[in-house]
Amino acid sequence: MRTPMPILPRAALAAIFAVSLGTGSALAGSLDDTPRIAVISAYEPEWVALQTPIAGRSDHVEHGIRFVTGTLEGEDVVLLLSGVGMVNAAMTAQMALDRYNISAIVFSGIAGGVDPALNIGDVVVADRWGTYFNLLLAREVDGSYQIPPFLTGDFPNYGMMFAQPEEVRRDGVETPEAKFWFEVDPALLARAQKAADAVDLVGCNAKNSCLEKAPAVYVGGSGVSGSAFLDNADFRDFVFDTFKARVVDMESASVAQVAYTNGVPFIAFRSLSDLAGGGEGENELPLFFSLAAENSAALVREFLKVSDAAGENGPARATNETETQQSKP
């Protein structure tokens, strides 16, 4: 015979219900009201390099994500490590937006270079980002690949692969829009141009392996992202020719989309750790990973130093064509 369940007072039931909800959702509330710049990194070396100089540090850990708040180069920030990949990056960016008063999102990290004019150690600050690996895998009919009438073919294909725009929603607009490119905030880009004039980039790693050419900062041009590590020379050429991309990574475009949906300014700093399959011999990432991470973090810190007061950054960029290059020996 089953033992009858005790009858609990209504107040007790309400308390149990509140606790059960709290374990999953109560922590999703705001953690502080201070306006902060969210600085997100994909890999630990970038994350560690930015944590070291932070002042007034306070940590909050939730669902395995550590949020570090404090002051970095005079700016109130929250630092977090997204982990690798589009889903990880989008998830952590939205978590930060839900828990903090985010005034802008800055992504810092390494990337693969697809522009033949760039070299390992260079830092690219693209003025727009697209998800190049949201794909239609088309059927082959009579020796060619056909796009279904309900999908698009805005870019040339690579075999059966056709890049597709994202379906994006944003505040006040319930009908999704098809959007491939997500533009970087012009004021943040102007601020990055000033930082490029002042930053000192390193040309040698801790083991004294040095670059053949002094690294440079490139402000402007396109970047693309997808959850695929690119290490193929032919596909690298396709990405450069098709999207006019300077750099490829696995996170930035997804965070740019989250920022767009939430109406928050976004910018990304990506330093080349490898040439995405375009170099001679094996992939260069193991050798220059730490150097690239250091250069990206250095430019982020210089960016944070630059005043963002009205009128001090000069005019916003009107097009995606202009670019600035600053080389530091």
Side-chain angles (χ1 to χ4, degrees):
M1 185 176 72
R2 291 183 299 171
T3 303
M5 291 184 63
I7 299 175
L8 297 176
R10 182 177 298 176
L13 289 171
I16 293 171
F17 183 67
V19 169
S20 67
L21 286 180
T23 57
S25 61
L27 288 177
S30 176
L31 295 175
D32 76 44
D33 296 327
T34 304
R36 299 183 183 278
I37 296 176
V39 181
I40 306 176
S41 303
Y43 289 94
E44 191 163 351
E46 310 144 7
W47 155 252
V48 172
L50 289 167
Q51 282 185 70
T52 304
I54 199 167
R57 174 172 178 155
S58 178
D59 289 34
H60 171 75
V61 181
E62 184 179 340
H63 301 314
I65 306 297
R66 182 175 298 274
F67 299 87
V68 178
T69 57
T71 304
L72 183 61
E73 305 297 350
E75 288 280 4
D76 291 313
V77 298
V78 53
L79 309 182
L80 58 152
L81 183 67
S82 70
V84 179
M86 303 286 275
V87 174
N88 281 332
M91 178 191 72
T92 51
Q94 190 61 57
M95 285 178 69
L97 287 161
D98 290 342
R99 288 152 180 79
Y100 295 92
N101 181 8
I102 302 301
S103 59
I105 297 177
V106 173
F107 207 102
S108 169
I110 64 169
V114 293
D115 184 342
L118 304 187
N119 299 284
I120 293 173
D122 291 345
V123 184
V124 173
V125 190
D127 54 29
R128 63 178 186 172
W129 287 90
T131 301
Y132 79 114
F133 233 66
N134 180 19
L135 299 174
L136 156 68
L137 303 181
R139 68 174 64 190
E140 187 174 4
V141 179
D142 297 328
S144 63
Y145 296 100
Q146 293 189 356
I147 302 172
F150 51 86
L151 295 176
T152 64
D154 296 334
F155 297 98
N157 59 305
Y158 187 84
M160 66 177 176
M161 298 188 296
F162 292 79
Q164 299 294 295
E166 296 286 347
E167 283 196 353
V168 185
R169 289 178 171 84
R170 54 193 171 92
D171 190 31
V173 181
E174 292 188 22
T175 303
E177 63 176 309
K179 188 172 177 64
F180 185 86
W181 294 112
F182 295 89
E183 289 73 21
V184 168
D185 181 76
L188 296 184
L189 203 65
R191 190 171 174 177
Q193 289 177 320
K194 280 195 169 186
D197 292 331
V199 70
D200 290 316
L201 303 179
V202 298
C204 299
N205 64 16
K207 296 182 179 180
N208 207 32
S209 296
C210 299
L211 302 172
E212 294 181 359
K213 185 177 179 180
V217 178
Y218 292 82
V219 179
S222 301
V224 293
S225 307
S227 285
F229 185 87
L230 177 54
D231 190 34
N232 181 278
D234 187 63
F235 195 71
R236 174 187 190 253
D237 291 342
F238 167 78
V239 171
F240 176 68
D241 293 338
T242 302
F243 305 105
K244 310 305 178 190
R246 316 201 80 171
V247 63
V248 59
D249 68 30
M250 299 173 67
E251 299 86 20
S252 295
S254 65
V255 179
Q257 180 175 337
V258 170
Y260 176 80
T261 293
N262 286 273
V264 175
F266 168 82
I267 194 168
F269 299 84
R270 306 303 300 226
S271 182
L272 275 57
S273 59
D274 62 276
L275 299 178
E280 298 179 1
E282 296 182 354
N283 188 282
E284 306 88 350
L285 184 146
L287 183 60
F288 292 112
F289 180 102
S290 61
L291 181 150
E294 184 176 349
N295 281 344
S296 180
L299 186 55
V300 168
R301 291 184 62 183
E302 200 65 50
F303 167 84
L304 294 175
K305 291 180 186 178
V306 175
S307 172
D308 62 352
E312 291 193 11
N313 282 326
R317 294 164 61 89
T319 71
N320 290 329
E321 302 301 322
T322 306
E323 67 183 41
T324 296
Q325 176 189 353
Q326 298 294 335
S327 179
K328 293 290 180 181

